Amino acid sequence: MARRVGRALGLVAVAAAVLAALLLSPFVLQDVAGSKGVDWNRLSQIGAAYGFTSAIVSALALAGVAGSLIVQNRQARAEQVQGIRSYYLELVRLELEDMALYQPVWGYTDIADPHERKRHVYADLMMNYAWMGYEIGTIREPLLRDMLSGMFTGEAGRHYWSRARTSWTASSSGSRIGRRFLAIVGEEHARAVAAGPPTRSAVAPSPPDVPAAGAAPVWRTAAGALIGLGTGLALGSLLRSRR
């Protein structure tokens, strides 16, 4: 905040100095004209000689203004893209919370295993993270290649790219950096495939059946019933012998 205030005050001071110089220039010229020995023809020739320099300075200033507008336009575009991607990530988060409910909205999928569907969505999040980082420059090409190399080593990563390659090509091939990103992904995928078969994904174990609170195991129930039946028969035989 202090820097911003200092910059603002500096700009105001410079603008005030320039305005004061413009306002006082007629009086300065009047004093110069009143002095003796001033060759106005020579002064006019010198001023004309500086006209070319003034034109160059004006052109540079205009180019600086145009560059500033371009940078502002790019920043606004980047903010819009970031907002769209944040909204997309929120939709994916909702889908991961309840795949059976939200996944059919995206369309039919040939992935039958629910764990494999979750891996596919997670791989999509990873790929979007890699793309955003590479696009803004926080993920350089060596790091991107290392990430993709590990991703395509496994079976889930290769299955994801085989299904999502077409959509990624359609959405990211419109820019130079997008085409370069797709080329890197394609190279790392081809290198992983050439290295050998993928590492198979581990099958997630099913949760064990936990008995309800207060419920007795089956063998205890059966044993209790047999003991009760035997005790009842013994008591009945004893009563009949006494009679």
Side-chain angles (χ1 to χ4, degrees), residues 82-158:
Q82 182 64 29
I84 294 174
R85 288 174 177 171
S86 298
Y87 191 73
Y88 166 74
L89 293 178
E90 181 66 19
L91 292 176
V92 174
R93 185 185 65 81
L94 291 175
E95 181 185 5
L96 284 174
E97 291 179 354
D98 195 341
M99 293 286 294
L101 179 62
Y102 295 110
Q103 197 277 327
V105 180
W106 293 88
Y108 171 77
T109 177
D110 57 348
I111 308 175
D113 184 19
H115 298 295
E116 186 65 25
R117 286 201 297 267
K118 288 188 176 182
R119 291 191 186 101
H120 179 84
V121 176
Y122 184 75
D124 187 65
L125 291 177
M126 285 185 60
M127 189 64 71
N128 275 278
Y129 167 72
W131 160 238
M132 287 186 289
Y134 182 75
E135 185 181 19
I136 64 178
T138 57
I139 297 179
R140 302 295 181 180
E141 183 171 331
L143 178 57
L144 176 62
R145 289 185 179 276
D146 184 69
M147 293 172 57
L148 295 172
S149 175
M151 181 178 178
F152 292 141
T153 302
E155 186 180 35
R158 295 189 189 183

Side-chain angles (χ1 to χ4, degrees), residues 24-36:
L24 294 176
S25 59
F27 302 100
V28 175
L29 291 176
Q30 185 178 2
D31 293 338
V32 172
S35 62
K36 298 179 180 180

